[in-house]
Amino acid sequence: MATKTLLPIEVYNRTSYAPDREFIDGELRERNVGTFEHARIQLLLGTLFQVHSREWNIQPVTECRMRVNEQRTRIPDLAVLSRGPHPSVLTDPPLIVVEVLSPDDTYGDMRERALDYSRMGIAHIWLVDPLTRTGQVFHENRWNDVTEFAVPSTSVRITLASLFAEFDEY
């Protein structure tokens, strides 16, 4: 029977990987990225958040390490933070995290990831599936279909129709 080599988090924190990897309970975990659809949706959302960053009082970042607990560091496709300084590895919950589903991702993996985000205190966890052109929010420990992403009591609103219309423009 093969044994797994566990890595101390201190070693992970001072090591760079290409491409970067997540740290889950002592193990390095590869992330599924790289398709055109995934990259395009991630760029469109990041650009949309950046264009509205002053109006919405936010600061978007892509693929930034985020310490969700003492034994786990996740790397969301997109995180939306409050404006201001932040550490190199995020430790406070962002306002929003967005994951873009890749062909190799499973909903089980996305649920585990969303549970980590939820336990960290992130209130708005969004999932975009570029192949089915659908969106979901994680609420009460489950994914719920939506046609619009929004943050109540703010002007943050993104409809899937407008996102995919922009996607189709080229």
Side-chain angles (χ1 to χ4, degrees):
M1 184 160 111
T3 60
K4 295 181 181 181
T5 304
L6 299 181
L7 183 71
I9 196 158
E10 297 78 20
V11 173
Y12 169 81
N13 286 339
R14 65 175 183 261
T15 306
S16 295
Y17 302 93
D20 206 358
R21 297 166 191 262
E22 294 183 323
F23 181 85
I24 308 298
D25 302 327
E27 295 182 57
L28 295 178
R29 188 174 295 176
E30 290 185 30
R31 299 169 52 243
N32 295 322
V33 296
T35 66
F36 171 82
E37 295 81 6
H38 181 282
R40 179 98 172 110
I41 291 295
Q42 185 176 347
L43 177 64
L44 288 172
L45 283 169
T47 301
L48 184 61
F49 282 120
Q50 184 59 43
V51 165
H52 292 284
S53 62
R54 289 189 198 285
E55 172 192 352
W56 293 346
N57 200 31
I58 58 169
Q59 183 175 1
V61 294
T62 60
E63 300 177 9
C64 183
R65 287 183 181 186
M66 184 171 64
R67 186 94 178 257
V68 296
N69 67 38
E70 290 303 310
Q71 291 303 313
R72 291 183 173 217
T73 299
R74 294 288 188 178
I75 305 172
D77 289 322
L78 183 67
V80 178
L81 314 169
S82 59
R83 291 177 67 92
H86 294 279
S88 295
V89 175
L90 303 176
T91 53
D92 292 329
L95 174 64
I96 304 165
V97 293
V98 181
E99 292 291 352
V100 180
L101 201 62
S102 294
D104 293 333
D105 287 327
T106 67
Y107 275 94
D109 293 338
M110 286 296 126
R111 185 171 191 283
E112 177 188 351
R113 179 180 296 279
L115 285 168
D116 281 347
Y117 296 150
S118 182
R119 289 181 195 119
M120 184 188 188
I122 301 169
H124 305 283
I125 305 163
W126 302 349
L127 178 67
V128 179
D129 185 341
L131 297 180
T132 62
R133 294 172 176 248
T134 57
Q136 299 178 328
V137 296
F138 194 74
H139 181 68
E140 295 182 355
N141 292 334
R142 56 182 276 243
W143 291 110
N144 300 280
D145 292 333
V146 295
T147 58
E148 174 183 75
F149 293 120
V151 177
S153 304
T154 73
S155 23
V156 176
R157 299 251 182 297
I158 300 169
T159 67
L160 289 169
S162 64
L163 176 66
F164 286 111
E166 181 77 17
F167 180 87
D168 289 336
E169 227 176 80
Y170 296 97

